Amino acid sequence: MAELLQVRELEVTIPVPGGLARPVTGMALDIDAGVTYALVGESGSGKSMTALALMRLLPAAAHLRAERMTLRGEDLLTLPEKSMRRVRGGRMAMIFQEPMLALNPVLSVERQVVESLMLHRGLSGAAAREAAADLLAQVGIADARRRLDSYPFELSGGMRQRVLLAMALAGDPALLIADEPTTALDVTLQDQVLGLLRRLQDERGMAMLLITHDLGVVAEQAHHVGVMYAGELVESAPRSEFFAAPFHPYSRQLFLALPGQGRGRLAQIAGQLPRPEETLPGCRYAPRCPRAFERCRREVPQWQVVHGEHRVRCHLAQSDPGYALALPPIQAAAAPSAASGTVLRARGLKVYFALRRGLFGHRLLRAVDGVDLELAAGRTLALVGESGCGKTTVGRALLGLTHPTAGTVEVRGGVQMVFQDPYASLNPRMRIAAILLEGMEAQGLAPRSGQDAVVAGLLAQVGLPADAGERFPHEFSGGQRQRIAIARALAVRPRILICDEPTSALDVSVQAQIVNLLKALQAETALAYLFITHNLALVSELGHEVAVMYLGRIVEQGPAREVLERPRHPYTRALLAAVPRLDGRDRQAAMLPGEPPSPLAPPTGCAFHPRCPLAQAACRLREPTAVPVGPEHWATCLLLE
Amino acid sequence: MSLPFRPVILWTDALLFVLLAAVAVLAFWTVRNPQWRRPWARVGNSPVAVACLVVLGAYALIAVLDSLHYRPRLPQAVPGQPAQYSDTVRSVFDALTPDLWRVQEETYSAPLAEHLFVRQPQTLPDGQVVRVYPRLRIAAGSGPGQRWRDIARRALSGAAAGLAVGALCAGLLAWRCGRLRGARAWLTAAARGQAGWPARTLVATLTLVFVLVGVIAALAPAYHVLGTDKVGQDVLYLTLKSIRTGLLIGTLTTLVTLPLAILLGIAAGYFGGWVDDVIQYIYTVLNSIPAVLLIAAAVLMAQVYIETHVRMFDTNAARADFRLLFLCLILGMTSWTTLARLLRGETLKIRALEYIEAARAFGVGHGRILLRHVLPNVFHIVLISTVMDFSGLVLAEAVLSYVGVGVDPLTYSWGNMINAARLELAREPVVWWQLVAAFAFMSTLVLAANLLADVVREAFDPRRGGA
Amino acid sequence: MMRYLVKRLFYAVPILLGVNLLTFALFFVVNTPDDMARLQLGTKRVTPEAIARWKAEHGYDEPLFYNPKAAGVDKITDTLFARKSAAMFLFDFGRSDDGRDIGQEIRTRMWPSLAIAVPVFVIGLATNISFALLMIFFRGTYLDWAGLALCILLMSISGLFYIIAGQFFIAKLWHLLPISGYSGGIHALRFILLPVLVSIVAGLGSGARWYRTLFQEEIGKDYVRTARAKGLSEVRVLFGHVLRNGLIPILTGAVAVLPLLFLGSLLTESFFGIPGLGSYTVDAIQAQDFAVVRAMVFLGSLLYIVGLMLTDISYALADPRVRLG
């Protein structure tokens, strides 16, 4: 069988103080022409390092070794650097995760695309420009010829990812390596880019190595799946077999940690990744594996066939091959707790920012433009929307960090916030105890004596050891930091907690821990949550009610299950349709076109009309009002009026 | 009963001790706080930094000894009268190195010479006047013709003493650090550079310093090791005395303006709005005047002030000291803007971080936020910039003295030495030793400071995994 | 663009006014003109008449801000502030203590200054950039390390040393070039060669090291990885991508000092006897000629502000992300 890419026993080593780190070890890949191979794993699993190793673009200190690394039979390992440069961007191209940073900021799009064309197709002058415009058109950039003269800063994130893709396609690659190509994009843009990748792959018969942490994306795109853990490939299977019955305990934990599946409490993976310089006598997952037995800690598992092409590196495949036929069944969700008493009410909330322009002039940025919210004790209101829709500003306004331009906010009991970035939300120079006590001191709640007990109590509440108080933030992982941030908020005994994307910077398994913690806290203390997120799966996991925001306004609001199952606003529908689904079923092909307009110049009438598939002439003229569409469920759309 | 001396505390002495106290507090704080201990440990693990610290430590020791001033008691003319004290202000350093300044020659003499560099008229017993190279006063004791042998003998014995002290240090270290593995095992490991920290570099650099001190101490009673200047002063003494001036300018300047830079820089970045506008206006105005001209203007004015208020200063030393302090102040005025701007930018970044937002959400006051959240997180910038500015300031002193707006002409400084010596380059044969001595001592200090600054910056830079 | 320039000029006025007030305070308020006269005339045997005469001769015999003796508008204009400080806004710099017109002096002396400063600026910039690029190209090797060590060594040595050593070895010992002096026309070349050479060497260490840091920062960015993934060679990555981005702060920073080239270099000019503005300033400081020092302070800050404006403009030209407005 003539495989396009064959890799055996690939190992990357980096000398570090106190040893040798092995970010990738024993890696094996086989990719056929026209196939998408998805490499899945959490951060630190070595998947990006594998991609860089294939391109031979590793950092200077890293050392690359492999038994075999061939592309169309050509040995990439021994290829001299000069010939390797023809492969790079030629037969094998790569696109990266951060489209905002991956383009040279001071060169025009044309120069950057033409550069690749010159290198790999020998084009120049007008012919190159023509070919560049053609490529931009192929990646779905409207008005391609004009866009050639743009600079990266003038393009949106989705557009930049398309430009990067055009550059990668310039050499007509046989293999495209896509490293988290949609992670930085909103769900509707992710949908567009994934659709584009599928189309290009069909047209060109190109193979793709898709690196991602998102199982939904895998289910939608991949033909074959490889799961990486701590630098090793632990499972490799065709897509359908993998999703029907993942075998490796780690893969199964990943599935069970996904929110919104209705399988009850999310699975948590205990402990942390082994450090890359740590060598273990047995399986690298054994210390965290719920199914580990004595052999796992003693002997490194070799590849075992589960069924056909489904292979796994796990001793269970020999000792208990039947343990993992299917995932636990989906349960009926528990009835939501009854609402009791409103703790937060916002009416007509508006937040405008004046952007200075020139000496005297300024423009108004309508970040939040008339939002009504109500939150009851013990309940969670999920505020959903894409980046830039104003959802974070709503949270900050409710907390008083931003002064609202208009509207009223009534709060019963204290409000606190848990922020998005666990690395920026704790002062790196303060001990954890001081961080936890700060709010109490500021509000005069700190006890004179017995502060240690208070700190220990808070830490226990979020599941951290009592000795954490004496340590500094850098000694904790992202998930632990987020727990500390929650404990800090809880210290002043608020009744409302605003959670601003508290898990978006975390891996799935860590996200599960935080979600479980938030649920438990709510059950114990009747906290009310305003949960700000872009992740619809989290909404169904946590939310009792949901409000969908678009361009500073709420377009649909209602009980979570009601909205998710019977969305009425075209935007809500499009948003739900854009989420990749684990079962890989064909979704409605209603891909939402374009990108949200700027809040500096919102469209007239219904703000959604330029992207709405159902828009009519009236939508451009008249602003819709809220229409009740079910019990406590309303949407603002003219078509419903 | 009266003391044999009366202590004199000059303004710069007092500030230097304040600085030392501040460093001590900082060191105490650093040892207790692992956040600050880590980057310093990284500095301590760099052999270059350790060597530089030894060199800087030697300079600093001389400067501190030279800052303990006193006026010796004059011999009493009539017993029972109140003691009279000399107008000459001396320092502990002077008291420790009488060999360097007791014997003053007529004029120039070359390093390690026996005779003056210039012919002097001498009246022979028969009344005839001849021009000869007179024998140096300092060489009066030693026999003629034996010079090189004598130098070699003294140098060797001095070097041997230095080596012995170095070996003693190594032994002490081995005794302290070798408790786990045994002193001998530790010594062998350290000699191979495997002590876990740059112990080999420390011992080697210390020994080098001791050997130098030993050789000089052995030669000084009978020779001017680096020759003498136009009025016959020992050049080595001049250079060593200049160390205090150089170090003071490099450190006091930053010390006196640090509060201003920190306060204004952080305030501008944190509060924004009109506070920012006003502070930016102030530093744009100060920045827009070319530094040398601003310094020149200010120093000229200070000079006028000193000359019209002569009575304020009871000794020449106090007068020169006032001018030195003023120079530090005005140098600081021209350099605080850079640090303030850096701090403003960093504060702007930090202000938007979520831990500040969290503190504000708790209702923590501005003062507390600045003190607990902003200041500790910009402090590495203050430290890096202090260390990096040091060498520039030492170099600036020489240039300013040349332009005529540096330290008082009576103050010992490398700038004054260079200034006095450069005209003598036109002489045949050339008088080179003053220039070479001044440049060598100055460059050693600046080089050590620059290398250390590099390591410190690397260790504290958060982007490189620092602090 | 025009709008931006007008706006910037509008901002420049308060800054120049601040400079003006500051220097005025330094020269006239901290020390009175009487103090100055006493200093100039020598401390011995100074009669009040002599002081009054000196003040009248030099135009210092008026009140600071307000002249009650004068009539009408003259109450404001017949003052030291109006005559000596505010007049500089009209480029009226007055006369130096030896009676010469400072404005005229500046106009003739700026040419020799430029003859030294411009070649130093251009060649120095090119040398520093090339040296930095060379180090970056060999980054991580011993060559880079040695280059960096050389830079730190060069910047640890006083600028005075380079001048003195250059004069001593090249001019005095080897007689390759004249020690000092200046002449107009083509002969100027012989005289400017040594000062230019010395100045470039003196600036190499800190310049090249600083640029190396800038390039190093650029080379760690994501777009460089993209460029490599395209299959570009290291040289083309360096010249086509890194240099382009790294040059922006370098060139705009250089543009900021462009106007200040007029002032020349204090040290170089006075050591090499170049009759430029730098040596003029040094002479004035040494002779305690306050009128000249004041004029140079004002000129310096004016040129600094022009430099700031040029920086902004060059940023807008070099970096597509920056728009003036």
Short mmCIF file of all heavy atoms in Angstrom, two decimals, chain B residues 103-119:
data_model
loop_
_atom_site.label_atom_id
_atom_site.label_comp_id
_atom_site.label_asym_id
_atom_site.label_seq_id
_atom_site.Cartn_x
_atom_site.Cartn_y
_atom_site.Cartn_z
N VAL B 103 54.34 60.35 50.75
CA VAL B 103 55.50 60.87 50.02
C VAL B 103 55.04 61.50 48.71
O VAL B 103 54.48 60.82 47.85
CB VAL B 103 56.52 59.75 49.72
CG1 VAL B 103 57.76 60.36 49.09
CG2 VAL B 103 56.85 58.99 50.99
N GLN B 104 55.25 62.80 48.59
CA GLN B 104 54.87 63.46 47.35
C GLN B 104 56.14 63.90 46.64
O GLN B 104 57.08 64.41 47.25
CB GLN B 104 53.99 64.67 47.67
CG GLN B 104 53.29 65.21 46.47
CD GLN B 104 52.11 66.08 46.86
OE1 GLN B 104 51.68 66.12 48.00
NE2 GLN B 104 51.59 66.78 45.87
N GLU B 105 56.18 63.68 45.32
CA GLU B 105 57.37 64.05 44.57
C GLU B 105 57.27 65.47 44.07
O GLU B 105 56.26 66.16 44.25
CB GLU B 105 57.56 63.08 43.38
CG GLU B 105 57.58 61.62 43.76
CD GLU B 105 58.73 61.26 44.68
OE1 GLU B 105 59.73 61.99 44.70
OE2 GLU B 105 58.59 60.26 45.43
N GLU B 106 58.34 65.89 43.33
CA GLU B 106 58.41 67.24 42.77
C GLU B 106 57.41 67.39 41.62
O GLU B 106 56.63 68.32 41.57
CB GLU B 106 59.84 67.46 42.26
CG GLU B 106 60.23 68.90 42.13
CD GLU B 106 60.38 69.57 43.50
OE1 GLU B 106 60.76 68.90 44.50
OE2 GLU B 106 60.07 70.76 43.56
N THR B 107 57.46 66.39 40.71
CA THR B 107 56.57 66.44 39.53
C THR B 107 56.46 65.03 38.95
O THR B 107 56.53 64.06 39.69
CB THR B 107 57.09 67.46 38.50
OG1 THR B 107 56.26 67.44 37.36
CG2 THR B 107 58.51 67.13 38.05
N TYR B 108 56.32 64.93 37.63
CA TYR B 108 56.11 63.63 36.99
C TYR B 108 57.20 62.62 37.30
O TYR B 108 58.38 62.96 37.34
CB TYR B 108 56.10 63.79 35.46
CG TYR B 108 54.87 64.47 34.95
CD1 TYR B 108 54.95 65.69 34.31
CD2 TYR B 108 53.63 63.86 35.10
CE1 TYR B 108 53.82 66.31 33.82
CE2 TYR B 108 52.50 64.48 34.63
CZ TYR B 108 52.59 65.70 33.99
OH TYR B 108 51.48 66.30 33.53
N SER B 109 56.78 61.37 37.50
CA SER B 109 57.74 60.26 37.47
C SER B 109 57.03 59.07 36.89
O SER B 109 55.82 58.90 37.09
CB SER B 109 58.27 59.95 38.87
OG SER B 109 57.26 59.33 39.63
N ALA B 110 57.75 58.24 36.16
CA ALA B 110 57.13 57.10 35.47
C ALA B 110 56.81 56.01 36.48
O ALA B 110 57.36 56.00 37.58
CB ALA B 110 58.07 56.57 34.39
N PRO B 111 55.94 55.06 36.11
CA PRO B 111 55.64 53.95 37.02
C PRO B 111 56.90 53.21 37.43
O PRO B 111 57.76 52.95 36.61
CB PRO B 111 54.72 53.05 36.19
CG PRO B 111 54.11 53.95 35.19
CD PRO B 111 55.11 55.02 34.90
N LEU B 112 57.01 52.92 38.70
CA LEU B 112 58.10 52.14 39.27
C LEU B 112 59.48 52.76 39.03
O LEU B 112 60.50 52.07 39.05
CB LEU B 112 58.09 50.70 38.74
CG LEU B 112 56.84 49.89 39.07
CD1 LEU B 112 56.87 48.56 38.33
CD2 LEU B 112 56.72 49.65 40.56
N ALA B 113 59.48 54.09 38.79
CA ALA B 113 60.77 54.72 38.46
C ALA B 113 61.57 54.99 39.73
O ALA B 113 61.05 54.93 40.84
CB ALA B 113 60.52 56.03 37.71
N GLU B 114 62.82 55.29 39.48
CA GLU B 114 63.72 55.63 40.59
C GLU B 114 63.99 57.13 40.60
O GLU B 114 64.31 57.70 41.63
CB GLU B 114 65.04 54.89 40.38
CG GLU B 114 65.57 54.23 41.59
CD GLU B 114 66.78 53.38 41.22
OE1 GLU B 114 66.95 53.05 40.02
OE2 GLU B 114 67.56 53.09 42.11
N HIS B 115 63.88 57.69 39.37
CA HIS B 115 64.21 59.10 39.23
C HIS B 115 63.02 59.85 38.66
O HIS B 115 62.11 59.25 38.07
CB HIS B 115 65.39 59.27 38.26
CG HIS B 115 66.62 58.61 38.77
ND1 HIS B 115 67.49 59.23 39.65
CD2 HIS B 115 67.13 57.37 38.56
CE1 HIS B 115 68.47 58.42 39.95
NE2 HIS B 115 68.27 57.25 39.30
N LEU B 116 63.05 61.16 38.85
CA LEU B 116 62.01 62.00 38.27
C LEU B 116 62.03 61.89 36.76
O LEU B 116 63.05 61.54 36.14
CB LEU B 116 62.22 63.47 38.67
CG LEU B 116 61.52 63.97 39.93
CD1 LEU B 116 61.64 65.48 39.98
CD2 LEU B 116 60.05 63.57 39.98
N PHE B 117 60.90 62.24 36.14
CA PHE B 117 60.79 62.13 34.70
C PHE B 117 61.37 63.38 34.03
O PHE B 117 61.67 63.39 32.85
CB PHE B 117 59.29 62.01 34.37
CG PHE B 117 59.01 61.64 32.95
CD1 PHE B 117 59.42 60.42 32.46
CD2 PHE B 117 58.35 62.53 32.12
CE1 PHE B 117 59.14 60.07 31.14
CE2 PHE B 117 58.08 62.18 30.81
CZ PHE B 117 58.47 60.95 30.33
N VAL B 118 61.50 64.44 34.81
CA VAL B 118 61.92 65.74 34.26
C VAL B 118 63.22 66.15 34.94
O VAL B 118 63.40 65.95 36.13
CB VAL B 118 60.84 66.79 34.55
CG1 VAL B 118 61.11 68.05 33.77
CG2 VAL B 118 59.46 66.24 34.23
N ARG B 119 64.10 66.74 34.12
CA ARG B 119 65.36 67.23 34.68
C ARG B 119 65.11 68.45 35.54
O ARG B 119 64.30 69.30 35.20
CB ARG B 119 66.33 67.62 33.56
CG ARG B 119 67.31 66.52 33.25
CD ARG B 119 68.36 67.08 32.34
NE ARG B 119 67.94 66.81 30.95
CZ ARG B 119 68.79 66.31 30.06
NH1 ARG B 119 70.03 66.08 30.37
NH2 ARG B 119 68.37 66.09 28.85
#
